[in-house]
Amino acid sequence: MSTAILTGPPTGAAVPALGDGLRTLGFDVVDADSCDDLAARLAALPAHERVAVVDRRFVGHPHALRLALTDPRFPAGAVSGAVGVDATARQALLEAVTDKSTTDPDRLAEALGRAVQVHRPELGVLVAAVPDDEAARAEAERAVAAVDDEAVRLRSAVKSRDGFFTTFFISPYSRYIARWCARRGLTPNQVTTASLLVALAAAACAATGTRPGYIAAGVLLIASFVLDCTDGQLARYSLRYSKLGAWLDATFDRAKEYAYYAGLALGAARGGDDVWALALGAMILQSVRHVVDFSFNEANHDAVANTSPTAALSDRLDSVGWTVWARRVVVLPIGERWALIAVLTAATTPRTVFVVLLIGCALAGCYTTAGRLLRSVTRRAARTDRAAAALAELADTGPVAEGVARAGARATRRVPAAAPALAFTGAAALVATACLAPAGSWWPLLAAAVYALTSGAAVSIPLRGFLDWLVPPIFRAAEYTTVLVLAARSGDTGVNSALPAAFGLVAAVAYHHYDTVYRIRGGTGAPPRGLVRATGGHEGRVLVVAAAAALAYGHNGSLKLVLATLAGVLALMVLTESIRFWMSSEAPAVHDETGEPA
């Protein structure tokens, strides 16, 4: 239970109405008529409770109070006439009351801001005011009556920036599903889990390899996406954010999509068509696209420089209505992508689905990466230590490259674009050797050793260069593609094909990389170095796979066994640590409120 403490001069009939409104928000309402009384009330409340201090003269919308006083993502929140804190900021509020000798919520919020972050929500048309006289009160009450609080709350449950398909084909009704769920006590985590289960059912239908199964799969995939939108809207509508919800939200989208790819590949195999290489290629392309986005955003998160001409042009295009939606569609965000997959699944074959998906994602990836390159070249920003540390964590460097980096750190000089050039040279040599060397030869292992050396050299100095954000996606592309090529060329066929095991291995490693991204987004840094070293890092895993491909060649099914074992071990390691972290007290309540399409 939370407690709201009413302070300030009495205002007659308005106080009972304010108390009733606070009770509907889940607060137990008490009074404090002096500074000493307020301090005593604060000290007497259970330590785990949220507490709010509200001026009795407050006039405003209930949703304004909800946004300021009940959002669990922030230690403190305030609007005019009200301030609320969680357990971590309770002592700071008590000290503010004592030091300032005041019960005024606005003064308390100002003092509190010197000790903790005070969230001040954007109210828009919502009203939150403390009128000084009856005329001002009457004016504020008219302003409150002129705005439908519930309509604003429902509208704000939808992201302000989203994809075309989501905005026009899902959100117009999914927000009402979210409200229906809220009124029946359903939680965002329950809706997220339901979305996963529906997606897994879609994958199972696709795995049947029949036309009715494909049609059902397409319908269920869209239903899963509707629920996927609903869970975030429910969280925003009811302000029910949680650490567990952050973890589920961060991982389930990828799990659903990649499980569906596997279902399509299984369904195709039932019809005699082997598309595992295409399924793995689609997963690789989509994962690398995400790493490009994550890496670029982290590199420029707190960069200090003038806006580039490219960014200025982008802003001007955003002022023209149709170009906004065209640019959002062309990047093939999750809504458009899932709609495309669903329609093609129902109407065509798995092979067609993957071919179209690969072409679409490749074009989208070229478009977004080219834009980021232009911005980086034309905006020579000064990047911070935080950005360099984030890129180093995203690089996922293992013990081999780490040793090379330590040995070469003093000898390496800062040359413009040296890090991405070294990373790209080693990656290109590795992938080319895996593609062109005789199947089963040791040349890929030698190329993997060279790759480990160039990777270590690339990260031997802080990644502060204007193109250094390219280093993590280059590493991801090199590792994932090498696994795909070596598995495809292993000579294993039929039930002993190594490609399904390679799919599982890349999925396990990709989960580790997504987990790293969301930890960094939450400000808690990458997984423990011990885990990164134990998984071998990207270069260590490439060395192991290259050696296994050479040793297992000619022994039908051997590489499949090695890759499956490696996938199982890595999945166990990264999932155990990930679950431990996201269930722990240090996990951040990270939720994507930017609207950036996934």
Side-chain angles (χ1 to χ4, degrees), residues 45-191:
L45 292 173
H48 64 277
E49 281 191 7
R50 291 186 71 90
V51 61
V53 179
V54 183
D55 196 305
R56 291 187 178 96
R57 297 168 295 172
F58 177 87
V59 175
H61 289 98
H63 192 51
L65 288 175
R66 180 183 289 107
L67 291 171
L69 306 182
T70 68
D71 196 327
R73 296 172 297 172
F74 307 101
V79 291
S80 179
V83 60
V85 297
D86 66 9
T88 64
R90 175 85 70 78
Q91 184 60 35
L93 178 62
L94 181 59
E95 291 173 359
V97 171
T98 304
D99 293 344
K100 298 298 181 180
S101 298
T102 182
T103 63
D104 178 37
D106 294 337
R107 292 184 60 192
L108 291 176
E110 182 180 355
L112 192 61
R114 301 187 183 98
V116 299
Q117 176 192 5
V118 178
H119 173 60
R120 296 183 182 274
E122 292 287 340
L123 297 182
V125 297
L126 296 177
V127 177
V130 180
D132 293 327
D133 52 40
E134 288 304 316
R137 171 172 291 277
E139 180 62 28
E141 289 174 347
R142 282 194 294 271
V144 170
V147 176
D148 187 338
D149 178 86
E150 176 60 20
V152 173
R153 182 186 180 190
L154 192 60
R155 187 167 59 249
S156 62
V158 178
K159 286 181 182 178
S160 58
R161 184 179 187 276
D162 222 327
F164 179 86
F165 180 77
T166 304
T167 299
F168 293 103
F169 293 92
I170 304 297
S171 293
Y173 58 88
S174 62
R175 70 183 74 181
Y176 296 101
I177 300 175
R179 182 170 66 180
W180 182 90
C181 292
R183 291 177 174 177
R184 283 152 184 82
L186 297 177
T187 68
N189 293 348
Q190 290 171 333
V191 177

Side-chain angles (χ1 to χ4, degrees), residues 178-462:
R179 182 170 66 180
W180 182 90
C181 292
R183 291 177 174 177
R184 283 152 184 82
L186 297 177
T187 68
N189 293 348
Q190 290 171 333
V191 177
T192 302
T193 303
S195 176
L196 174 66
L197 294 176
V198 172
L200 294 178
C205 290
T208 63
T210 64
R211 181 55 53 195
Y214 289 150
I215 294 173
V219 172
L220 288 172
L221 188 63
I222 294 298
S224 175
F225 183 65
V226 172
L227 291 174
D228 182 58
C229 295
T230 300
D231 65 357
Q233 292 165 359
L234 174 58
R236 287 182 285 275
Y237 181 84
S238 59
L239 294 184
R240 296 188 67 168
Y241 300 99
S242 68
K243 294 170 182 176
L244 175 60
W247 176 60
L248 297 178
D249 187 58
T251 57
F252 276 15
D253 277 355
R254 303 289 80 76
K256 289 181 288 190
E257 186 167 0
Y258 299 158
Y260 191 82
Y261 291 175
L264 279 176
L266 288 170
R270 288 180 178 271
D273 190 11
D274 186 356
V275 297
W276 277 106
L278 295 176
L280 180 50
M283 180 166 68
I284 291 171
L285 184 54
Q286 190 57 38
S287 298
V288 172
R289 280 186 63 202
H290 284 141
V291 177
V292 168
D293 293 341
F294 297 147
S295 188
F296 178 81
N297 289 335
E298 286 301 324
N300 293 280
H301 179 75
D302 47 8
V304 179
N306 291 329
T307 301
S308 71
T310 308
L313 174 61
S314 177
D315 291 340
R316 286 197 297 272
L317 289 175
D318 279 345
S319 66
V320 182
W322 69 269
T323 65
V324 174
W325 296 115
R327 294 168 68 226
R328 292 186 191 179
V329 169
V330 76
V331 300
L332 207 62
I334 187 170
E336 279 76 358
R337 194 167 66 251
W338 282 27
L340 178 67
I341 294 170
V343 171
L344 290 176
T345 299
T348 65
T349 65
R351 179 172 291 274
T352 301
V353 173
F354 286 124
V355 169
V356 173
L357 185 62
L358 284 166
I359 294 172
C361 287
L363 292 174
C366 289
Y367 170 79
T368 54
T369 303
R372 283 159 171 70
L373 284 170
L374 284 173
R375 291 189 185 209
S376 300
V377 170
T378 58
R379 180 179 184 242
R380 299 297 182 89
R383 291 175 174 85
T384 63
D385 290 340
R386 176 200 173 280
L391 291 179
E393 290 168 341
L394 287 172
D396 192 33
T397 302
V400 178
E402 191 177 36
V404 173
R406 281 198 301 267
R410 293 185 179 181
T412 304
R413 292 184 178 182
R414 166 53 65 193
V415 178
L422 283 166
F424 180 79
T425 299
L430 173 64
V431 174
T433 304
C435 291
L436 300 176
S441 74
W442 291 93
W443 286 108
L445 181 60
L446 177 60
V450 172
Y451 171 74
L453 293 174
T454 58
S455 299
V459 297
S460 61
I461 52 179

Side-chain angles (χ1 to χ4, degrees), residues 437-482:
S441 74
W442 291 93
W443 286 108
L445 181 60
L446 177 60
V450 172
Y451 171 74
L453 293 174
T454 58
S455 299
V459 297
S460 61
I461 52 179
L463 299 175
R464 294 197 188 92
F466 67 99
L467 290 178
D468 285 0
W469 59 269
L470 287 168
V471 171
I474 289 173
F475 288 163
R476 297 297 82 77
E479 178 185 0
Y480 298 166
T481 304
T482 299

Side-chain angles (χ1 to χ4, degrees), residues 526-549:
R529 280 300 304 167
L531 175 69
V532 176
R533 293 189 180 104
T535 61
H538 65 98
E539 82 288 352
R541 291 187 294 269
V542 166
L543 285 166
V544 170
V545 172

